[in-house]
Amino acid sequence: MSVYLITGASSDLGLELIKTVAKEGDKFLLTGFGDSAKLTAFCDANNIDYNYYDVNLTSLYSIDSLVADIEKTGLVPTHFVHLPALRVINTKFKNFDEDRFLADINVQIVSAAKICKSILPKMAKAKFGRVLFMGTSYVLSNPPKNTTAYIAAKSGVVGLMKSLATDYAGYGITVNAVSPSMIETKFLAETSHLIVEQAAAEHPMKRNAQVGDVVPAMAFLLSEEARFITGVNLPVTGGSVIE
């Protein structure tokens, strides 16, 4: 039995990933925040065995409560996928919002670190684990202007991934990230449509990424076939970033 812990599971990527990887007998521990109807309806309709946690990851207290609740289940996750982030707000650095930045650090980095601190030693004891973080293509090349907070947080996520990959490579645990170019999801709700359209126009494939372009790469890195791949930040960019 696989046990999937997916934070940010109510996102478009989270829902599609569950659809892709779910097998009979698997257990899912899923988190979201105030937007669970579509996710829980899908799980119920498809007889997916799940626990859902509505949790505000900007709060350290809520993060600690989530970790405690997961530990109370007695389940050891075999797969951990960390997807959440606050939506990008394009703003000049002179208007940098320190409070919102610290909130996003909690969502993207602190929550991931606290969860990993709880589950990675158990994965190590079991000699198996798959950990996957969500990065961004912006950390792979020159980022667009006015995205300082987002880039700083995502750079921290990638740094955490690399460090954990090094620490746990000898325990049957892989730790990786995927870094897509702009994906057209509800995450872009606060991004100007002009920015989205410009990104598509400037892309080598003349379009932005779709959820279906990204999830197969995520599913691969979570699979047994990817057992010898760790510490990788995989570009899923359609050629907009080539390394």
Side-chain angles (χ1 to χ4, degrees), residues 179-198:
S179 277
S181 55
M182 183 179 287
I183 314 171
E184 292 192 359
T185 69
K186 60 188 178 185
F187 185 75
L188 297 179
E190 296 178 22
T191 300
S192 167
H193 73 279
L194 294 176
I195 294 175
V196 176
E197 291 172 1
Q198 182 179 3

Side-chain angles (χ1 to χ4, degrees), residues 3-243:
V3 179
Y4 288 85
L5 170 57
I6 305 177
T7 48
S10 58
S11 64
D12 295 332
L13 281 171
L15 181 58
E16 188 64 27
L17 181 63
I18 296 167
K19 292 178 182 179
T20 301
V21 303
K23 295 182 178 63
E24 186 176 353
D26 290 346
K27 176 74 176 184
F28 287 81
L29 307 174
L30 309 174
T31 83
F33 183 52
D35 186 21
S36 65
K38 187 176 180 180
L39 171 64
T40 56
F42 169 80
C43 291
D44 291 338
N46 290 275
N47 297 315
I48 291 174
D49 185 7
Y50 73 99
N51 292 1
Y52 178 76
Y53 306 91
D54 191 284
V55 56
N56 179 3
L57 294 178
T58 66
S59 162
L60 296 179
Y61 173 81
S62 296
I63 296 169
D64 289 338
S65 296
L66 171 65
V67 171
D69 286 342
I70 292 169
E71 290 177 347
K72 287 175 185 176
T73 67
L75 296 168
V76 178
T78 55
H79 300 71
F80 171 42
V81 183
H82 189 63
L83 302 175
L86 296 186
R87 288 174 174 166
V88 182
I89 295 179
N90 293 79
T91 184
K92 293 183 178 180
F93 185 67
K94 67 180 181 180
N95 298 320
F96 188 85
D97 186 334
E98 293 90 347
D99 290 338
R100 193 178 192 281
F101 174 65
L102 291 175
D104 203 18
I105 291 294
N106 284 346
V107 171
Q108 296 203 54
I109 303 174
V110 176
S111 64
K114 283 179 173 285
I115 291 169
C116 285
K117 183 179 178 181
S118 171
I119 68 174
L120 281 176
K122 298 167 188 172
M123 285 182 171
K125 187 174 181 179
K127 297 294 183 181
F128 180 85
R130 297 285 182 270
V131 179
L132 183 65
F133 295 117
M134 180 56 58
T136 173
S137 64
Y138 293 170
V139 304
L140 300 172
S141 62
N142 292 341
K145 293 180 178 180
N146 305 325
T147 56
T148 300
Y150 185 70
I151 299 304
K154 284 300 185 188
S155 296
V157 169
V158 173
L160 177 64
M161 176 274 290
K162 290 181 178 180
S163 180
L164 293 178
T166 299
D167 289 349
Y168 284 94
Y171 295 92
I173 299 170
T174 66
V175 188
N176 294 292
V178 292
S179 277
S181 55
M182 183 179 287
I183 314 171
E184 292 192 359
T185 69
K186 60 188 178 185
F187 185 75
L188 297 179
E190 296 178 22
T191 300
S192 167
H193 73 279
L194 294 176
I195 294 175
V196 176
E197 291 172 1
Q198 182 179 3
E202 294 176 351
H203 193 281
M205 293 190 178
K206 301 304 178 185
R207 69 174 179 88
N208 293 317
Q210 304 296 318
V211 169
D213 298 318
V214 181
V215 168
M218 298 169 65
F220 170 69
L221 290 173
L222 294 169
S223 72
E224 176 61 19
E225 288 75 14
R227 61 188 174 273
F228 206 63
I229 301 173
T230 194
V232 169
N233 184 20
L234 179 64
V236 185
T237 67
S240 62
V241 176
I242 296 177
E243 291 200 315

